[in-house]
Every structure is written in structure tokens, then in C-alpha cells.
Amino acid sequence: DGCWDEPQVRLLFERLETDSSAIEIADFEGDIPRLGRRSMVIKARRLWRDGKHTELTLLAIDDVTERRAAERAVAESQKQLRVLMDATPAIISYIDKNLRYRMANAAYQRWFGIAPGDLLGRSAFNTFDSPGISTVQPYIERVLQGEVVSFQAEYSNPEGRKRILDVTYTPELDPAGDVQGFMVLGHDITERQEAESRLLRDVVLQSALVALGDRLRDLTDVESLTSTAMKIVADVLDIDRAGYGEVDHSQQYVTIRKDWHSDRVGSLAGTYRFSDFGKDLGHRLSGGETIVVSDVTSDPLTADESSRWMNLDIRALINVPLLGKGRMIAVLFVQSSTPRHWTDIELNFLRKVADRTWVAADRARALQELRESEEFNRSVLASTPDCVKVLDLEGRLLTMNQGGCNQMEID
């Protein structure tokens, strides 16, 4: 019926004419009567006897339709699985018991700059640097003992940015319970960790603001107020120096009466000229700009005068100006003896501290002036021989000085 009249079958018999002993194999796929479309493997061999051709050919036909269909299904499934693995942001790999990579997804390229194909067959211990290996080696030893282990580790991506991975090693066991290798699954939790850290930091700083308000409420002199505020700032920000300086009317000088400082640095109490530490420093502060410097040696505002800053053990700083009556009246400052990245949360915290400290200090000055005024009035009244009375609106006597009592000869 011609169903076997296919090019690959004809080629099979042609090859048999040139070799009397070989077994030739051909793959055939076609429509077979009553069977439908089938996949066959045909094996053929010429039969010879006493060196003569018997005109007979031995054929073996193996129906591999179901096997080929299963192989195609497996290949398609593996293809889909590979697409899914490469699309996931997590790192996925398989490492055998000899610690060689047998499979890795595309995330390794994004995370470590290593193409998955370049990992295959490579030793895990020769893939990463020594610090990275020393971090994971204890966990590798545990997973090779059959234990599922999870841990967090810090890595640098190809751009040099520090990232945090949450990693799980899951062993593969054979029927005898022996470890043949293990799966690696790693999730990037950097943003989550940073968000949690920011939230925790914000809670700590808000608590510090509440404590600051409680402490300032009970203090009545400016020096105690500023000293207490700076101690709280220094403790919560873990810095080397914090202070509060008053600015003169010319806007050129700042006077620091007292500051808080760690054992690593000395006090900055004294008077300083803004222009000595950056030609635009005073101008920008008087305009209400908060000055934030992570490193005085590289920031354009301070680089030219960085030696002056560093002679005072200042490498990073924040200056928060306070404006009143149209001019700068004070500056709150925090400083670090090493380079430091200041966060927005810390900056907002310092602005609130500056505002609350200045309000409390201004109130303390007003109360002090009132006390001094009352004390002065009492001294004047006590020293004059004249009669001085204080009456209410209905003419009733509220108080009278000693001179009046003497004139009226009453106690």
C-alpha cells in the first residue's frame, strides 16, 4: 500500500547493498493503515550464508510512538520549567554531592555576573571569593548531612551594591537515604530588610523626640536645655559630636558655649567664622538651607577647606540653621569623625530637635528675663523711701512697699 515508500526507508536498503554485516537503523514517521500516524525505528540486516547472499533481509520494526510522544512532552515540560526558572527573580540551582553545579537559572547572571552555562560543572568552592565561601561552608556541610538549612548572607552584585539573600539548601536523597546533592533557593530581601530598618529607626527617633520633650519641660536655663538635647541626639544617632551655636548679628560668626562630644574627639566650645570652613557656608545657612556633608574631603562645599574640618576631627556633618526675625539666629550641628551617609529620617529628626530646642530655649530666656525684671522691680521698691501701693480696680490695697509702711507707721 506504499506506506513504507519513504526516503529514509529507501536509504536504509541502499546502504545494505554496500555492507553485508552492518545493521542499519532508520527513523520513520508516517501514517500506517488501521494504526494511524506512528513513529517507528526500523533495523535491517542482509542475511548471507557461506559468503553468498541469500536474497533475504532481516527486519526489526519497533513502534516508539508513545515513547517519542513522552519524550516530546518531557522536553516541552523542561522547556517551560526553564522559562519559569529564568523568569523568577530568585536564584535557583542544583549542586551535586561533589559540590559541582549541575543546573542554575538566569538569576545568577543578574546576581553574580555569571552566565548559567558557565556554572555547569564548576566547583562551588571555585566560583565565589573566599569570604563568600567561608560564609556558606558551614551550611553546605550541614545540608550534605541531610539537613534542610536556611540562612541570610550578604553579597555584592556586579554593580558593587551590597545585597542580602535569604537562602535555603534542600538535600536530595536517594532511596537509601544518601545525599546526592542539594537544591539552592535564594530570595533578595534587601528592600524588605531596609524597610524594616527604616521603620525601626523611625520608631527609635520618635521615641527620642518624646523623651526630649519630657526632659526639656523640666529645665529652665538655656545651657541645661541645649546640653540635654545634644546628649539625646548624640546617643540616638551614635555620633562623635553634637552642639548648638548662636549666630551674631553680622551672620559671620557662630559661638558654641557648650557641646557634647565622645571620647574620640574634643570640645568645639568657642567662636568660629563661617567663611573659614567654606566660602558659601554662611550664605547658604543664612538662607535657611540645611547643610548635609557625607565626607568633607569630597563635598564641593567643604573640599577646599577640608584640612580645617579634619583638624577638628570632623569628616561628616549636618548643620541645621534656625531663622528668626528675618535672619539666622542659631545652628544645630552633628558631626562624625569618619565619613557617613546621613539618611532622610535622621535629617528630619534633627530638624525637629532644632525647632523644639530653640522653642524651649527661647521660653527659658523669656522666663529668665521676667525673673530678672521682677527682681529688679522688687529691689527698686524696697530701696525707695516713697510710698508705693498697688490697688485693684475697686480701690482695694493689694500690696505696699516698705517705704509706705514706714510713712503710715504700720507693719
Side-chain angles (χ1 to χ4, degrees), residues 167-183:
V167 184
T168 299
Y169 291 165
T170 303
E172 181 196 19
L173 306 178
D174 64 13
D178 296 325
V179 176
Q180 299 302 303
F182 58 94
M183 291 294 301

Side-chain angles (χ1 to χ4, degrees), residues 182-288:
F182 58 94
M183 291 294 301
V184 178
L185 178 63
H187 297 278
D188 184 352
I189 60 170
T190 307
E191 280 71 24
R192 189 186 77 192
Q193 290 277 59
E194 290 176 349
E196 291 174 354
S197 296
R198 286 193 298 269
L199 179 60
L200 179 60
R201 189 64 170 160
D202 189 50
V203 171
V204 170
L205 296 181
Q206 290 299 324
S207 298
L209 285 174
V210 173
L212 175 67
D214 293 340
R215 296 289 301 279
L216 296 185
R217 191 178 301 114
D218 299 328
L219 300 175
T220 58
D221 65 283
V222 175
E223 185 173 312
S224 296
L225 282 167
T226 56
S227 178
T228 298
M230 294 308 100
K231 179 64 168 63
I232 291 175
V233 167
D235 286 344
V236 76
L237 294 184
D238 190 25
I239 54 178
D240 288 309
R241 191 186 287 119
Y244 196 84
E246 296 181 350
V247 180
D248 75 327
H249 286 278
S250 71
Q251 306 284 279
Q252 297 183 34
Y253 296 89
V254 58
T255 298
I256 302 168
R257 304 191 185 282
K258 187 178 181 181
D259 60 4
W260 181 94
H261 59 89
S262 69
D263 295 335
R264 296 184 294 271
V265 300
S267 173
L268 282 188
T271 299
Y272 301 88
R273 185 169 58 183
F274 287 120
S275 60
D276 288 340
F277 296 89
K279 62 181 181 179
D280 295 328
L281 181 61
H283 175 71
R284 290 169 62 174
L285 283 170
S286 63

